[in-house]
Amino acid sequence: MLRGVLERRYDHEAKFLNLSELAQDEELKSQHIFDLKSTASKFFPAMMRVLELSFDKPEERDAAVTSVSLANNDLVDLAAVTTLSQTLPKLQNLDLSNNKFEKLEHLHNWRRRFVNLQHLILTGNPLEQNDSNYHKDVRTDEEIAKKARTTDLPFPIRSPLFKDEGGIAEQFVRIYFAGFDNDRVALASHYYDEQSEFSYAVNTQAPRDPNSTQRSEPGEWETYLKSSRNLKKIQQLPARQARKYRGTQAVADAIAMLPLTRHPDLASEARKWMVEAKMVPGVPDPTGASPGGVDGFLITVHGEFEELNLSGQPSKKRSFDRSFVLGPGGVAGVRIVSDMLTLRSYGGTQAFEPENFDAWTEPSTILPVAEPAVPGLPAGLSIAEAEQTVAQLMQQTGMTLSYAKDCLDQVGWNYLGAVEAFGKVRGSLPAEAFVLPTA
C-alpha cells in the first residue's frame, strides 16, 4: 500500500515526490491510517523505510528525488516527518507551505540538515505573522560546498569495531536519538515491542571533564536515582527486577519520565560522538521459528547531551554510554531487544577523539586498523571464533546470549567444560536464562 502511494505521487521527469494533503488521500482514508494516533505516528517513518528499500544505493535515491512537497498536512512541528532528513539528506527543494508552523523553532529539528537545499517554501504558515525573527537566509554555492565539506564526515567517528550491514546501524542511530529528543512516545512504538527490555543506571563516581576550568557542580541526580539499576548498589532481587522495564508501554513510560534532552547534531558535531557496531548471532527470535536465535546488531554509543528544563532551556550537560541489541522485526524492520543506558557527569570527549580529526574528512586516507584484543577472551581466540562458540552453546543449551557468554567466561572458553557446567546448574537457572522455555 505504501509503495503504491509513493508511485502515484512521484513525478519521474521532475524528480518530484508530492506528499501534500496526505490526510485527503482516498486510499489512505480507506485504510483509516489517520484515524488513530498510533497508526498515524508510524505512517511516515514506515513510508520512508519503503522508499529507502526501493533503491539499491543511497546515491540512486538522492538522484531520483530532488524535490518534496509536504504542503497542506496540518503540521505544527516536524515530529511526524523528521525521518525525511535521514532518507533524503541531499534534497534540493522542499515545500512546507500551508501548514501550522507558528515559530521557526518548530523547524529546528532540521537545522544543519539538507545541506544541498536551494529552495524552501514556508508561505501560508502562521510564523509569517507570529515570528518577528522570520527571515530568509540565502547561501551561495561556495557556502554550500564549504558546508558539505565540513559536515559530510564519516558517520560519527567510528572505531575499528564499526561493522554495519546495509546501513542498518547508521540509520538506527540517526533516527533513534532524534526521536529520543523530540517524541519518545512515537519512538517507543517504533522500535520497542513486548519483549524489549530497557534499564538505566547512574554512575556517580565517573571522572569529570579533565579539561574543565570551572568549578564542579553538584550532580543533581535525584530525578534519576529512584529508578536507577546500578547493580553495584542495588543488591536485592525484587529491586533489580522492578528497575528493568519490559514491553512497549513500560519502556515508553520509563523513558518519558526521564528529563528532556538535546543531543549534539550527528552531522555537524561528529566529534562529540563515538559509535561502535558489530553483528552478533543468537539474538532471540520472537516468532520462535529459530530456537537458536537470529543475527542482530550490538551497537554501543558514547556521547553527551544537554538536559533541558521544563521551558526547554539547557540546564546541565551530562555524558552517557548506551548499548543496544537489535534484532529483525517491528514496524521499522528493526526491533530493540535490549537497551541499557548509563548516565554520568560530563566527562568530555577526549577519550574517543582521534589524534588527527582532519583525516576523517578524507576517507581514502584511512588505513585499516587491526582489531584490538578483547578483554576476557583467551589469547589466540578471535572475536569471530568466540561468536561461533557462543552461538553453538546457545543452540545446544537453549540459553540466551548473555548466559551462554557468562558460562564460557567461567570455564575459560572451553566448550566441553561449558556444556558440562551447564548440565550441573541447569535446574537452578531462572526462566530468563533461556531463549524459549525448556521442557
Side-chain angles (χ1 to χ4, degrees):
M1 181 268 291
L2 292 174
R3 187 181 297 277
V5 172
L6 290 168
E7 291 176 351
R8 285 189 290 103
R9 289 171 166 266
Y10 176 61
D11 184 329
H12 182 270
E13 291 185 3
K15 299 181 178 181
F16 172 52
L17 182 59
N18 183 3
L19 301 179
S20 63
E21 299 184 286
L22 289 171
Q24 305 307 316
D25 187 287
E26 291 300 326
E27 184 173 357
L28 297 179
K29 288 171 66 175
S30 67
Q31 298 288 335
H32 306 286
I33 295 296
F34 300 105
D35 290 357
L36 297 175
K37 185 177 180 180
S38 58
T39 54
S41 64
K42 298 174 183 177
F43 166 73
F44 196 86
M47 184 168 61
M48 290 297 99
R49 180 60 176 162
V50 171
L51 179 59
E52 292 167 10
L53 295 175
S54 300
F55 297 87
D56 294 331
K57 298 179 180 179
E59 294 81 6
E60 297 175 358
R61 186 170 66 244
D62 292 332
V65 184
T66 60
S67 304
V68 169
S69 174
L70 289 171
N72 299 292
N73 278 308
D74 291 331
L75 298 173
V76 296
D77 55 36
L78 300 176
V81 296
T82 187
T83 49
L84 179 70
S85 64
Q86 285 95 37
T87 302
L88 296 170
K90 303 294 180 66
L91 202 63
Q92 297 177 22
N93 308 294
L94 178 60
D95 183 1
L96 295 175
S97 62
N98 300 315
N99 281 293
K100 297 181 179 180
F101 300 110
E102 295 186 351
K103 298 180 180 180
L104 282 175
E105 285 80 359
H106 295 162
L107 305 176
H108 278 189
N109 284 2
W110 282 347
R111 287 185 65 190
R112 304 185 182 92
R113 308 291 175 90
F114 303 123
V115 295
N116 295 337
L117 197 66
Q118 298 176 16
H119 300 96
L120 173 63
I121 303 174
L122 290 170
T123 56
N125 281 282
L127 61 80
E128 289 183 291
Q129 290 77 35
N130 297 346
D131 198 325
S132 59
N133 295 320
Y134 175 68
H135 63 281
K136 179 175 67 176
D137 289 329
V138 179
R139 292 178 292 180
T140 65
D141 291 342
E142 291 76 12
E143 289 173 327
I144 292 174
K146 180 179 179 181
K147 181 73 173 177
R149 286 195 300 271
T150 57
T151 61
D152 193 16
L153 301 175
F155 171 71
I157 306 175
R158 295 167 170 167
S159 77
L161 291 178
F162 192 97
K163 307 290 178 63
D164 205 348
E165 181 70 30
I168 293 174
E170 176 178 342
Q171 179 81 350
F172 169 78
V173 173
R174 290 189 185 280
I175 294 176
Y176 185 89
F177 286 97
F180 193 84
D181 286 346
N182 296 288
D183 191 343
R184 295 178 188 174
V185 174
L187 181 72
S189 62
H190 191 64
Y191 279 123
Y192 299 88
D193 61 17
E194 294 311 304
Q195 284 75 47
S196 299
E197 294 184 346
F198 165 73
S199 64
Y200 72 86
V202 175
N203 181 358
T204 58
Q205 306 300 316
R208 295 179 180 244
D209 182 7
N211 290 344
S212 176
T213 58
Q214 299 179 351
R215 183 178 178 181
S216 297
E217 299 179 358
E220 298 178 355
W221 295 108
E222 291 80 6
T223 305
Y224 299 91
L225 289 177
K226 59 183 179 181
S227 298
S228 171
R229 197 171 185 256
N230 188 328
L231 299 184
K232 289 186 176 181
K233 297 185 177 183
I234 306 296
Q235 302 293 334
Q236 300 299 317
L237 182 59
R240 288 183 171 188
Q241 292 176 329
R243 287 168 169 80
K244 181 166 69 173
Y245 302 94
R246 183 181 179 91
T248 306
Q249 190 59 53
V251 174
D253 293 341
I255 61 178
M257 289 189 297
L258 297 175
L260 299 176
T261 57
R262 182 167 62 207
H263 290 79
D265 185 78
L266 281 161
S268 62
E269 299 180 276
R271 289 176 174 87
K272 297 180 179 180
W273 296 81
M274 187 173 78
V275 181
E276 300 172 309
K278 69 172 190 174
M279 297 284 290
V280 292
V283 174
D285 178 10
T287 67
S290 301
V294 294
D295 288 339
F297 276 101
L298 172 61
I299 301 176
T300 305
V301 183
H302 310 278
E304 64 186 62
F305 63 85
E306 290 180 312
E307 185 177 303
L308 309 180
N309 57 29
L310 294 179
S311 61
Q313 299 301 312
S315 61
K316 188 174 288 291
K317 183 182 288 188
R318 303 192 189 277
S319 291
F320 76 93
D321 309 287
R322 198 156 191 167
S323 295
F324 300 96
V325 175
L326 306 183
V331 296
V334 174
R335 54 183 283 269
I336 294 177
V337 179
S338 173
D339 173 10
M340 293 187 294
L341 168 65
T342 299
L343 300 154
R344 47 192 171 84
S345 298
Y346 182 66
T349 59
Q350 298 83 356
F352 48 85
E353 281 189 352
E355 294 181 2
N356 182 10
F357 188 83
D358 292 336
W360 289 88
T361 63
E362 299 292 341
S364 60
T365 66
I366 301 176
L367 299 177
V369 181
E371 195 169 82
V374 179
L377 291 185
L381 182 65
S382 69
I383 293 177
E385 291 171 333
E387 290 176 348
Q388 184 176 1
T389 304
V390 171
Q392 187 176 354
L393 183 62
M394 290 177 63
Q395 185 172 6
Q396 181 163 346
T397 65
M399 288 193 294
T400 64
L401 176 65
S402 60
Y403 273 84
K405 180 183 178 300
D406 288 344
C407 184
L408 286 162
D409 282 336
Q410 293 174 17
V411 296
W413 286 80
N414 180 298
Y415 181 76
L416 294 179
V419 174
E420 182 180 354
F422 169 75
K424 294 179 180 179
V425 301
R426 177 176 181 174
S428 61
L429 291 176
E432 65 184 30
F434 299 95
V435 176
L436 294 173
T438 57

